[in-house]
Amino acid sequence: MSKPPLHPSAETWLHILFGDDNGGGHLAGQGVEGKTEFPDYWTLSRIESAILNIHERALTVDSLEPTILFDGYIDGILLRVVLSVDHKGQRVLKTAHPLRGNGVFKIINGVRVSKPLLRQDRTK
């Protein structure tokens, strides 16, 4: 059975892409310390599509009530999408970010460090 579509708020998108007081900031070029960035060749619409569709294609799903973690691949990028369940029992997008893959970088001490897929990633 298909999962209901997500309808993230503007605030959620701003958090994921540009960051806020709670974290986020995963759009390429944001330079947020300790955060991974989507590949710079991914457009905003590509990021949106990947995030909204990953829970349909997830390789792993971990439920830590009320949070649900979906990890999966989109175009060779390992993504994590985090949903929560609201008081009505509806899934709500909380955040999302790339874990590893071609073009994924993590900001460490102000330096962009490449985060390629690992051997164990390829066997999932």
Side-chain angles (χ1 to χ4, degrees):
M1 181 176 192
S2 182
K3 295 167 183 69
L6 299 174
H7 300 287
S9 68
E11 291 80 15
T12 299
W13 287 120
L14 289 172
H15 164 82
I16 292 168
L17 297 172
F18 303 105
D20 57 26
D21 292 340
N22 296 314
H26 300 286
L27 183 65
Q30 296 305 299
V32 178
E33 185 65 32
K35 300 294 182 174
T36 55
E37 295 183 342
F38 288 101
D40 57 7
Y41 58 88
W42 274 30
T43 63
L44 292 175
S45 61
R46 183 70 194 111
I47 293 169
E48 178 181 15
S49 175
I51 290 170
L52 294 179
N53 291 300
I54 196 70
H55 70 295
E56 294 287 342
R57 301 171 58 181
L59 296 172
T60 61
V61 179
D62 293 317
S63 183
L64 310 166
E65 289 297 331
T67 301
I68 306 166
L69 307 175
F70 293 88
D71 290 354
Y73 289 102
I74 301 283
D75 296 338
I77 305 299
L78 181 60
L79 298 178
R80 172 163 291 159
V81 173
V82 181
L83 305 181
S84 63
V85 179
D86 68 13
H87 65 283
K88 297 178 184 176
Q90 299 294 312
R91 292 179 174 192
V92 178
L93 179 63
K94 187 172 181 179
T95 192
H97 61 276
L99 295 171
R100 292 181 287 280
N102 185 31
V104 175
F105 290 89
K106 184 172 185 175
I107 309 305
I108 301 174
N109 296 323
V111 176
R112 293 179 79 213
V113 177
S114 180
K115 298 294 289 183
L117 290 175
L118 304 174
R119 180 171 291 143
Q120 60 265 32
D121 295 332
R122 298 172 200 271
T123 61
K124 289 184 178 180

